[in-house]
Amino acid sequence: MKNILDYETVALVDEDDAIEIIDQTLLPGRIEIIRLHTAKEIWDAIYLLQVRGAPAIGVTAGFGLYLLMKHSKAPSYDEFMQELGEKSDYLNSSRPTAVNLSWALKRMEEHVKSYVGDGSFDKDAVIKEMKEEASRIKAEDIDVCRRIGENGLTLIKDGDGLLTHCNAGQLATCKYGTATAPMYLAHEKGWNIKVYCDETRPLLQGARLTAFELFSAGIDTTLLCDNMSASLMKTGAINAIFVGCDRVAANGDAANKIGTSMVATVAKRYNVPFYVCAPTSTIDINTPTGDQIRIEQRKPEEVTEMWYSERMAPEGVKVYNPAFDVTDNELITGIVTEFGVLRAPYDKAIKELFEKKNQK
Ligand code: MRU
């Protein structure tokens, strides 16, 4: 029987003008594959977290923009670019925090601009280029996650206990995940690691997704509520913490799922190394510090009603429901990228990394 890791998180079904995803809101109870055709369907799937996780959102946006322009009737380059800009802005408005969304859309737009740089406009050729660029974004995601896994593997050893928060796993990317990549590679090597997953209120990505995919892979997996990790760290059971991120600012402050900064703060107290796994596509050098990262606020019902058979809070009570928080760079032991592990001072390390990357 197929296991969850045998399914593709995001796939293009070009002959049906569709993106195919696993509807992650139904996991782990039901594995249902759905197809997204229209702009509204793609927008909703991102907003509702049917597809989620920064890299997977980026891949969906790339394929989405391609599909939405595939049958464009724009007669000229200018009109084509105007339409592309409008569709891109619409998709970009679905979720504000993960930079991979705007990064992928901008990359698609820039690619079209550079392709028709000589002023000629062959629509079929441009559309073909868009498909190839979106496919490259996906292929690169797989390669980058594998490399993050290899770099992360140098930070752990056989027998380690590892903690993670939310889902920065295969379901958030196209393979391996970011925070889970060192875990999958350690498991491939036959190492006996124990992974502890925070359940991650209010949307339970840790319980529903991370515990599901790691357990399906045969990794020793233990689930805990979000308020239990301090007691576990105090026992010495956790040798290292790996989390993903949605946007890393130029100074190394890292936005990730709400609760991450609490884990990092506790880790500092108990001297547990805290690593943020970040593809360079998630590092936003145009955002100076975490203070400028826009944090998505979500509906109160996710806290008061969702998952419960009856409401678990008084009617009318105020609810605080930010989807992400920012971990201050001084709490981060290392930022694991596809190019290596960055260490503080992060402003300098990030600047040097991008200088080297841009030279290539
Ligand atoms: O709201 P979500 O489920 O999209 O939040 C996901 C996270 O916070 C992940 O840790 C992050 O996107 C990194 S995924 C490799």
Side-chain angles (χ1 to χ4, degrees), residues 16-317:
D16 188 31
D17 293 343
I19 304 170
E20 201 165 74
I21 59 164
I22 308 164
D23 181 349
Q24 297 194 26
T25 61
L26 305 174
L27 296 175
R30 220 164 73 226
I31 299 179
E32 198 170 304
I33 308 301
I34 57 169
R35 287 190 179 182
L36 315 171
H37 296 93
T38 65
K40 169 96 170 61
E41 281 169 0
I42 300 168
W43 193 98
D44 282 350
I46 296 173
Y47 176 73
L48 296 170
L49 275 60
Q50 288 175 304
V51 59
R52 31 70 50 210
I57 293 173
V59 173
T60 306
F63 283 143
L65 197 55
Y66 156 66
L67 288 175
L68 298 180
M69 294 307 292
K70 188 175 166 188
H71 301 293
S72 165
K73 302 218 172 354
S76 67
Y77 170 72
D78 286 347
E79 281 153 294
F80 186 87
M81 289 314 284
Q82 157 109 20
E83 187 184 339
L84 188 146
E86 285 163 9
K87 300 214 154 124
S88 171
D89 288 349
Y90 175 66
L91 293 182
N92 198 30
S93 68
S94 54
R95 291 192 84 188
T97 306
V99 71
N100 301 60
L101 177 59
S102 55
W103 169 84
L105 292 166
K106 190 159 170 253
R107 177 168 157 169
M108 294 290 290
E109 201 168 336
E110 293 298 317
H111 186 69
V112 172
K113 278 190 197 152
S114 71
Y115 184 70
V116 287
D118 62 356
S120 61
F121 180 56
D122 173 346
K123 198 158 58 192
D124 291 344
V126 170
I127 298 293
K128 185 166 165 283
E129 281 295 321
M130 287 187 78
K131 178 179 171 184
E132 283 169 11
E133 188 67 359
S135 305
R136 266 192 295 272
I137 293 176
K138 177 173 173 177
E140 282 172 24
D141 175 47
I142 298 172
D143 175 57
V144 161
C145 287
R146 171 100 203 170
R147 285 159 59 195
I148 287 176
E150 282 157 6
N151 293 330
L153 201 59
T154 64
L155 305 167
I156 60 176
K157 56 183 188 322
D158 194 4
D160 271 357
L162 308 173
L163 176 78
T164 189
H165 188 77
C166 191
N167 176 267
Q170 172 156 318
L171 288 163
T173 64
C174 292
K175 204 172 162 74
Y176 304 112
T178 57
T180 57
M183 300 166 188
Y184 285 125
L185 297 198
H187 186 64
E188 257 175 46
K189 278 169 83 87
W191 288 6
N192 223 338
I193 49 158
K194 289 186 190 342
V195 182
Y196 296 89
C197 307
D198 278 347
E199 71 175 346
T200 319
R201 285 275 298 153
L203 296 179
L204 304 180
Q205 290 94 331
R208 296 188 304 105
L209 310 177
T210 311
F212 184 39
E213 58 165 277
L214 293 175
F215 189 64
S216 304
I219 292 175
D220 182 335
T221 307
T222 305
L223 176 65
L224 53 147
C225 298
D226 297 334
N227 50 4
M228 297 171 184
S229 61
S231 77
L232 193 63
M233 282 190 235
K234 199 171 180 178
T235 67
I238 308 293
N239 300 94
I241 298 166
F242 288 88
V243 296
C245 54
D246 288 81
R247 191 182 297 245
V248 178
N251 71 343
D253 289 348
N256 190 47
K257 180 53 52 192
I258 189 72
T260 304
S261 74
M262 191 170 73
V263 177
T265 306
V266 175
K268 184 89 164 177
R269 167 69 181 83
Y270 292 114
N271 289 319
V272 180
F274 180 89
Y275 298 107
V276 171
C277 297
T280 47
S281 57
T282 309
I283 302 178
D284 179 7
I285 48 169
N286 297 317
T287 296
T289 75
D291 291 345
Q292 289 84 42
I293 298 177
R294 193 173 143 211
I295 300 293
E296 177 186 5
Q297 299 289 330
R298 293 186 63 92
K299 289 184 181 150
E301 292 75 21
E302 290 180 350
V303 176
T304 55
E305 288 168 30
M306 211 165 169
W307 320 114
Y308 298 126
S309 57
E310 61 183 281
R311 191 181 161 93
M312 281 295 150
E315 285 293 351
V317 75

